[in-house]
Amino acid sequence: MTNSTYRLAAGLAAVTLLAVALTGCGGGADKETAGGDVASLTTPAAPTSATPAGGTAIGRPQLRLDTTDEEETQIWETYKICLHEHGVKKNEGRSAGATGTGTGLSLDQSGEPKAAYVACANKLPLQPPELDREKNPNFASQWNDYVQCLRGRGLKIHSLPDNSGWTYDDGVADPTNGLDEVARAKADKDCTQEEFGAKK
């Protein structure tokens, strides 16, 4: 079985990569299974010291369901550049192709220095409100429709009991049904738009 993980919205993979560091500053994210086959929906919270009472960190960029891949990449790169400028070290083995614009920048995941995450909290993107179970009263039904949409496109998956993500079906020789990474990403994006979009 493949270890590929698919997220409900583009950019959650990057959220997960930063979750360890943010957890060290008071933020958190839904946990993934050890196998890495669970999709998670939660955006890590900004460090509490950078979050005003009753709200999120001021000025955080808001992702939308229709945010393009290019726009989202730029938003995440801006956040990573800020962290690096405030002392978070590069992961040298993975940043060999990085340029001055931050393209391909991979950062150390130790969570240090904590002050960098506080300083850059206002650049950490917020996921679309439609994907936030606290803000979207129709989240549960839309999530179930989303999972069914992915199943209809060939993925052999099922939802976790709390709708926090999905995992591949057990005992299936090829739960991806032969879909390559590009096709799976397209199915994910299309189903997110269809089931959580404005039509609902």
Side-chain angles (χ1 to χ4, degrees):
M1 184 166 94
T2 179
N3 284 331
S4 296
T5 298
Y6 283 87
R7 311 275 179 214
L8 180 58
L12 284 177
V15 169
T16 302
L17 292 175
L18 295 168
V20 173
L22 292 172
T23 299
C25 302
D30 282 355
K31 294 178 182 171
E32 292 187 5
T33 62
D37 287 340
V38 176
S40 175
L41 298 176
T42 303
T43 302
T48 53
S49 60
T51 305
T56 56
I58 296 171
R60 288 178 65 185
Q62 176 68 67
L63 298 175
R64 305 175 319 274
L65 289 179
D66 63 352
T67 299
T68 66
D69 292 343
E70 293 77 16
E71 289 170 334
E72 187 169 351
T73 296
Q74 185 57 51
I75 289 169
W76 280 108
E77 291 299 334
T78 298
Y79 178 60
K80 290 191 291 183
I81 290 168
C82 178
L83 292 176
H84 182 56
E85 288 175 346
H86 284 84
V88 176
K89 294 178 181 176
K90 281 185 183 181
N91 181 344
E92 296 295 346
R94 299 182 65 190
S95 294
T99 67
T101 63
T103 302
L105 184 63
S106 176
L107 299 177
D108 171 72
Q109 298 298 302
S110 69
E112 296 296 338
K114 291 178 176 58
Y117 293 89
V118 173
C120 298
N122 66 338
K123 291 180 171 55
L124 174 64
L126 292 163
Q127 290 302 311
E130 294 90 344
L131 307 184
D132 184 338
R133 68 183 68 220
E134 302 299 322
K135 295 178 181 176
N136 180 0
N138 300 315
F139 178 86
S141 64
Q142 290 176 327
W143 169 257
N144 288 328
D145 290 344
Y146 161 78
V147 171
Q148 290 306 311
C149 178
L150 288 177
R151 290 183 63 82
R153 290 170 189 247
L155 293 177
K156 308 300 183 186
I157 63 170
H158 59 274
S159 181
L160 296 179
D162 63 355
N163 292 339
S164 63
W166 56 258
T167 188
Y168 287 112
D169 294 345
D170 293 329
V172 178
D174 181 11
T176 66
N177 202 25
L179 297 176
D180 64 19
E181 186 174 346
V182 172
R184 293 192 306 261
K186 183 178 187 316
D188 175 67
K189 188 160 191 162
D190 290 348
C191 287
T192 299
Q193 289 280 359
E194 289 173 18
E195 307 307 334
F196 286 92
K199 71 169 192 170
K200 294 289 180 179

